[in-house]
């Protein structure tokens, strides 16, 4: 796995100029938007950059060469999920420091460590959920087809959410009790769900790559 991590880190290093521009954009956003938005932006972009390394592996029958090396397919999948987690966590940490500095030193906005940490963890979870959807699709369908499938899933999820909301209003279902729950209760539960989905996605992806022929 160490060799795979080094390979992907070298790929990311070759994109360092683009990543620095993205970081600069995030710094500019911190002056205007809320901290959670900035961290969410950095999280999603960092996750996409790692997912993009799969395209390099696909290029010019790269998988056929890669799996002739002493590399197990399950190890390949686990490395992608591990690297995504590490890169997103690093981006969140950078974003958190950036937001704290700008808010406290320049904007003089009161800083709440608990609320900031919770917001960052939720943004990190959302970015990892996006990766949990994208990585299996990317490995199963390839770069082009996976985008189409992904858009279809996003549309279906959005339609499902809007449909559920309309149905709840039609049936006069009251969800006001959820608002009474403590943030300290809701956030850990949400994060636990994120972790379980992420691990489940990894297992599904391992099954997909084991059945693929390269």
């Amino acid at each position: 796995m160490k060799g795979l991590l080094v390979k992907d880190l070298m790929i990311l290093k070759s994109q360092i100029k683009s990543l620095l521009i993205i970081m600069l954009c995030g710094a500019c956003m911190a002056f205007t938007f809320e901290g959670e938005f900035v961290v969410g932006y950095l999280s999603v972009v960092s996750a996409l950059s790692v997912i993009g390394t799969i395209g390099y592996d696909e290029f010019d029958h790269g998988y056929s060469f890669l799996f002739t090396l002493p590399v197990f397919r399950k190890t390949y999948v686990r490395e992608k999920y591990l690297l995504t987690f590490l890169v997103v966590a690093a981006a969140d940490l950078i974003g958190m420091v950036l937001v704290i500095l700008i808010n406290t030193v320049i904007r003089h906005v009161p800083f709440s460590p608990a609320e900031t940490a919770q917001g960052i963890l939720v943004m990190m979870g959302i970015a990892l959920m996006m990766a949990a959807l994208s990585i299996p699709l990317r490995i199963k369908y390839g770069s082009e087809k996976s985008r189409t499938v992904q858009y279809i899933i996003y549309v279906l999820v959005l339609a499902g959410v809007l449909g559920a909301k309309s149905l709840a209003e039609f049936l006069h279902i009251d969800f006001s009790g959820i608002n009474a729950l403590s943030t300290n209760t809701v956030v850990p539960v949400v994060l636990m769900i994120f972790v379980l989905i992420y691990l489940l996605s990894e297992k599904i992806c391992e099954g997909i790559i084991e059945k693929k022929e390269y």
Side-chain angles (χ1 to χ4, degrees), residues 67-118:
F67 293 134
T68 59
L69 302 174
V71 174
F72 294 105
R73 296 189 179 196
K74 288 185 178 180
T75 304
Y76 173 84
V77 169
R78 291 169 185 171
E79 182 268 340
K80 292 298 181 187
Y81 280 81
L82 175 61
L83 182 64
T84 302
F85 173 80
L86 293 175
V87 171
V88 170
D92 281 3
L93 181 60
I94 294 171
M96 180 181 68
V97 173
L98 184 67
V99 169
I100 291 173
L101 287 176
I102 291 176
N103 282 348
T104 56
V105 177
I106 299 176
R107 299 175 66 187
H108 303 291
V109 177
F111 170 60
S112 172
E115 291 182 3
T116 302
Q118 289 175 348

Side-chain angles (χ1 to χ4, degrees), residues 6 13 15 26 56 72 90 107 132 138 144 154 204 214:
V6 171
K13 184 180 178 181
Q15 304 170 359
Y56 285 87
F72 294 105
R107 299 175 66 187
R138 193 70 179 267
E144 298 301 324
Y154 287 154
I204 292 173
Y214 298 105

Side-chain angles (χ1 to χ4, degrees), residues 11-127:
I11 292 174
L12 294 177
K13 184 180 178 181
S14 67
Q15 304 170 359
I16 190 66
K17 291 183 180 180
S18 299
L19 295 176
L20 287 175
I21 293 174
I22 290 168
M23 293 298 299
L24 181 60
C25 292
C28 294
M29 288 179 181
F31 287 97
T32 306
F33 297 97
E34 295 295 329
E36 288 80 3
F37 177 85
V38 176
V39 173
Y41 165 78
L42 294 176
S43 299
V44 170
V45 171
S46 61
L48 288 174
S49 65
V50 177
I51 295 169
T53 62
I54 298 176
Y56 285 87
D57 298 333
E58 294 172 344
F59 181 71
D60 200 18
H61 305 288
Y63 281 130
S64 300
F65 170 74
L66 186 63
F67 293 134
T68 59
L69 302 174
V71 174
F72 294 105
R73 296 189 179 196
K74 288 185 178 180
T75 304
Y76 173 84
V77 169
R78 291 169 185 171
E79 182 268 340
K80 292 298 181 187
Y81 280 81
L82 175 61
L83 182 64
T84 302
F85 173 80
L86 293 175
V87 171
V88 170
D92 281 3
L93 181 60
I94 294 171
M96 180 181 68
V97 173
L98 184 67
V99 169
I100 291 173
L101 287 176
I102 291 176
N103 282 348
T104 56
V105 177
I106 299 176
R107 299 175 66 187
H108 303 291
V109 177
F111 170 60
S112 172
E115 291 182 3
T116 302
Q118 289 175 348
I120 288 172
L121 287 173
V122 171
M123 290 299 104
M124 180 179 177
I126 292 173

Side-chain angles (χ1 to χ4, degrees), residues 79-208:
E79 182 268 340
K80 292 298 181 187
Y81 280 81
L82 175 61
L83 182 64
T84 302
F85 173 80
L86 293 175
V87 171
V88 170
D92 281 3
L93 181 60
I94 294 171
M96 180 181 68
V97 173
L98 184 67
V99 169
I100 291 173
L101 287 176
I102 291 176
N103 282 348
T104 56
V105 177
I106 299 176
R107 299 175 66 187
H108 303 291
V109 177
F111 170 60
S112 172
E115 291 182 3
T116 302
Q118 289 175 348
I120 288 172
L121 287 173
V122 171
M123 290 299 104
M124 180 179 177
I126 292 173
L128 293 178
M129 289 305 94
M130 185 193 70
L133 171 65
S134 300
I135 295 175
L137 290 176
R138 193 70 179 267
I139 290 178
K140 182 175 179 63
Y141 295 107
S143 300
E144 298 301 324
K145 289 184 180 179
S146 65
R147 290 195 189 96
T148 303
V149 176
Q150 205 167 324
Y151 292 147
I152 292 172
I153 291 175
Y154 287 154
V155 170
L156 291 176
V157 170
L158 179 61
V161 171
L162 294 176
K165 181 180 178 182
S166 300
L167 181 62
E169 292 175 352
F170 177 76
L171 298 176
H172 303 291
I173 299 175
D174 186 12
F175 293 103
S176 59
I178 296 177
N179 296 328
L181 295 175
S182 170
T183 303
N184 294 330
T185 302
V186 174
V187 171
V189 172
V190 172
L191 291 177
M192 183 63 69
I193 293 173
F194 283 169
V195 170
L196 291 175
I197 293 175
Y198 197 67
L199 295 176
L200 177 62
S201 172
E202 181 190 332
K203 292 300 179 184
I204 292 173
C205 195
E206 288 177 4
I208 291 172

